[in-house]
């Protein structure tokens, strides 16, 4: 069966520090991968999308970046965090065949102080 | 641009009641619609997926309907239980496999089932 792992679960970082969040998917190959951010009262915001290794689409201009070094690994990074980067970050994957549901990881609660 | 609205934003009902959560979307050109459940501090769990050609899907006490032409979906929960307390989100996809747009999500309905 397919599973998705996302870590860390919580993170407290000072302003200006770097960030690296990691997500891996097991039990499937060549999934589409997503990074979403969820802020209180604002719903889910799509940040990055990837259809394959090294292929990243950015939906929102910001100081975050994403990389996909392996087929089932998706990394969210920042060189210098801002206070506004605080939020709940969710990784998700979906099969590319017809009508596959979207599956989420358990999320990372990031607090920038 | 697709917009998804969920009404009500919050709902509190006594245990045992049947209830309906609503979801509306502005662009009827969708590939499918999903309902998710989110517990506090957790990720989203997929509950039901309705293809654009389908009218409804059922899983246990949950039944989701889709009226694509009117841009509406409902999630019916029968015989509600305290364990059903969570935030329920609906999302629509324009393409198979999510696509570049991903899914467009509503802001959710926060449901509390009183014991």
């Amino acid at each position: 069966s397919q599973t998705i792992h996302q870590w860390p679960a919580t993170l407290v970082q000072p302003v200006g520090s770097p960030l690296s969040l990691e997500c891996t998917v097991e039990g499937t190959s060549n999934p589409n991968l997503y990074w979403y951010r969820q802020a209180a009262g604002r719903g889910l915001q799509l940040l990055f999308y990837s259809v394959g290794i090294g292929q990243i689409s950015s939906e929102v201009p910001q100081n975050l970046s994403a990389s996909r070094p392996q087929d089932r690994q998706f990394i969210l990074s920042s060189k210098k965090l801002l206070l506004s980067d605080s939020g709940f970050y969710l990784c998700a994957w979906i099969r590319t065949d017809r009508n596959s549901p979207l599956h989420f990881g358990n999320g990372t609660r990031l607090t920038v102080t | 641009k697709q917009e998804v609205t969920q009404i009500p934003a919050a709902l509190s009902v006594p245990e045992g009641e049947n209830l309906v959560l609503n979801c509306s979307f502005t662009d009827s050109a969708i590939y499918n619609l999903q309902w998710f459940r989110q517990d506090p501090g957790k990720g989203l769990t997929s509950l039901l997926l309705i293809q654009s050609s389908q009218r409804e899907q059922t899983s246990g006490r949950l039944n989701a309907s889709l009226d694509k032409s009117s841009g509406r979906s409902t999630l019916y929960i029968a015989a509600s239980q305290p364990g059903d307390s969570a935030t329920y989100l609906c999302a629509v996809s324009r393409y198979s496999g999510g696509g570049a747009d991903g899914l467009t999500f509503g802001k959710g309905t926060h449901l509390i089932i009183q014991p």
Side-chain angles (χ1 to χ4, degrees):
Chain A
S1 64
Q2 302 97 347
T3 57
I4 178 170
H5 303 280
Q6 188 180 342
W7 68 94
T10 59
L11 192 59
V12 180
Q13 293 283 100
V15 169
S17 64
L19 172 73
S20 181
L21 303 181
E22 190 162 341
C23 171
T24 59
V25 180
E26 296 179 356
T28 190
S29 59
N30 197 32
N32 287 349
L33 297 171
Y34 302 87
W35 279 110
Y36 283 90
R37 178 168 59 200
Q38 188 176 37
R42 297 183 62 184
L44 278 155
Q45 179 187 33
L46 178 63
L47 301 176
F48 298 97
Y49 161 75
S50 174
V51 296
I53 297 173
Q55 301 179 61
I56 309 294
S57 298
S58 174
E59 294 297 314
V60 182
Q62 58 207 335
N63 69 319
L64 299 173
S65 62
S67 62
R68 186 171 177 174
Q70 300 180 42
D71 180 46
R72 290 169 289 177
Q73 183 184 28
F74 206 21
I75 299 172
L76 182 69
S77 304
S78 174
K79 292 181 180 179
K80 290 185 177 182
L81 285 168
L82 306 173
L83 285 174
S84 59
D85 291 324
S86 293
F88 192 49
Y89 289 82
L90 290 155
C91 179
W93 72 273
I94 193 170
R95 290 203 321 257
T96 55
D97 58 346
R98 291 167 59 95
N99 286 300
S100 171
L102 185 66
H103 301 278
F104 282 86
N106 280 330
T108 295
R109 173 71 60 190
L110 172 65
T111 304
V112 182
T113 59
Chain B
K1 180 183 176 182
Q2 178 75 271
E3 293 183 1
V4 179
T5 303
Q6 292 188 246
I7 294 174
L11 182 63
S12 181
V13 300
E15 179 178 5
E17 284 198 7
N18 303 323
L19 55 98
V20 174
L21 307 181
N22 297 293
C23 171
S24 61
F25 46 95
T26 54
D27 185 351
S28 62
I30 65 169
Y31 196 81
N32 58 43
L33 182 145
Q34 273 189 261
W35 281 94
F36 295 87
R37 168 187 173 136
Q38 186 176 28
D39 294 293
K42 300 294 185 182
L44 282 69
T45 300
S46 180
L47 297 173
L48 290 164
L49 181 149
I50 309 178
Q51 301 175 32
S52 61
S53 59
Q54 295 177 321
R55 298 284 293 182
E56 64 179 305
Q57 280 286 339
T58 298
S59 176
R61 293 182 294 108
L62 305 179
N63 176 277
S65 69
L66 174 64
D67 184 343
K68 196 175 92 164
S69 61
S70 67
R72 301 178 71 171
S73 176
T74 62
L75 179 67
Y76 175 83
I77 303 177
S80 58
Q81 303 170 358
D84 294 329
S85 298
T87 297
Y88 291 81
L89 297 95
C90 73
V92 295
S93 176
R94 185 174 177 84
Y95 305 106
S96 173
D101 295 345
L103 275 65
T104 303
F105 284 83
K107 291 185 178 181
T109 294
H110 181 56
L111 176 64
I112 297 175
I113 307 299
Q114 306 156 8

